[in-house]
């Protein structure tokens, strides 16, 4: 996870640096990302975040996980809902298994965060429990 604070009012640059640094730390190329889940804010901040995710990962990756239309603005708790929605969507989508996903969060005060996660699922595909039990 990469967390930064935009102190110079350069949200787009700060957000992109955060995402690119998190991808590099995870050893993931933008073309590998199956889903990119933004924080869902409205207004300029949300527009900047969504535009960045679309540019880096494409419209399909940005629209794969629907969370904010269902729950609305959850402020500081939004990342937990983003992760839960990502995992629930990936569980029902075999092509997500083993692929990386990105979760971002920006706020109106200038904080920017990004996490890169790898979606697991091989055990479930084989009909086993997480610990290998039938």
């Amino acid at each position: 996870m990469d967390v930064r604070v935009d102190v110079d009012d350069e949200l787009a640059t700060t957000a992109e640096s955060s995402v690119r640094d998190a991808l590099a730390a995870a050893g993931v190329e933008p073309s590998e990302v199956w889903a990119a889940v933004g924080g869902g804010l409205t207004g300029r901040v949300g527009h900047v975040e969504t535009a960045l995710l679309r540019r880096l990962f494409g419209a399909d990756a940005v629209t794969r996980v629907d969370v904010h239309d269902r729950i609305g603005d959850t402020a500081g708790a939004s990342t937990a809902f983003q992760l839960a929605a990502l995992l629930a969507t990936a569980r029902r989508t075999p092509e997500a298994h083993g692929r990386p996903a990105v979760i971002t969060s920006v706020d109106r005060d200038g904080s920017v965060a990004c996490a890169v996660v790898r979606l697991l699922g091989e055990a479930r595909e084989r009909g086993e429990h997480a610990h290998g039990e039938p």
Side-chain angles (χ1 to χ4, degrees), residues 16-80:
E16 183 165 354
S17 293
S18 180
V19 171
R20 289 193 181 277
D21 287 351
L23 288 170
V28 172
E29 294 293 324
S31 61
E32 297 176 76
V33 172
W34 176 76
V37 186
L41 284 179
T42 58
R44 181 182 88 72
V45 172
H47 176 74
V48 167
E49 181 184 35
T50 300
L52 169 66
L53 295 177
R54 283 181 183 273
R55 184 168 50 80
L56 290 177
F57 308 114
D60 287 343
V62 174
T63 58
R64 275 200 176 98
V65 177
D66 178 23
V67 60
H68 302 291
D69 289 342
R70 296 176 190 269
I71 63 170
D73 185 353
T74 55
S78 66
T79 304

Side-chain angles (χ1 to χ4, degrees), residues 34 83 86-101 117-126 128 130:
W34 176 76
L83 180 58
L86 173 64
L87 295 175
T89 302
R91 183 175 185 203
R92 296 185 313 268
T93 313
E95 63 267 16
H97 299 174
R99 306 265 316 267
V117 299
R118 185 158 308 271
L119 303 165
L120 302 179
E122 299 85 23
R124 185 158 179 82
E125 285 179 354
R126 292 189 310 258
E128 298 174 358

Side-chain angles (χ1 to χ4, degrees), residues 6-22:
D6 171 23
V7 294
D8 297 320
D9 197 28
E10 296 292 333
L11 179 62
T13 303
T14 303
E16 183 165 354
S17 293
S18 180
V19 171
R20 289 193 181 277
D21 287 351

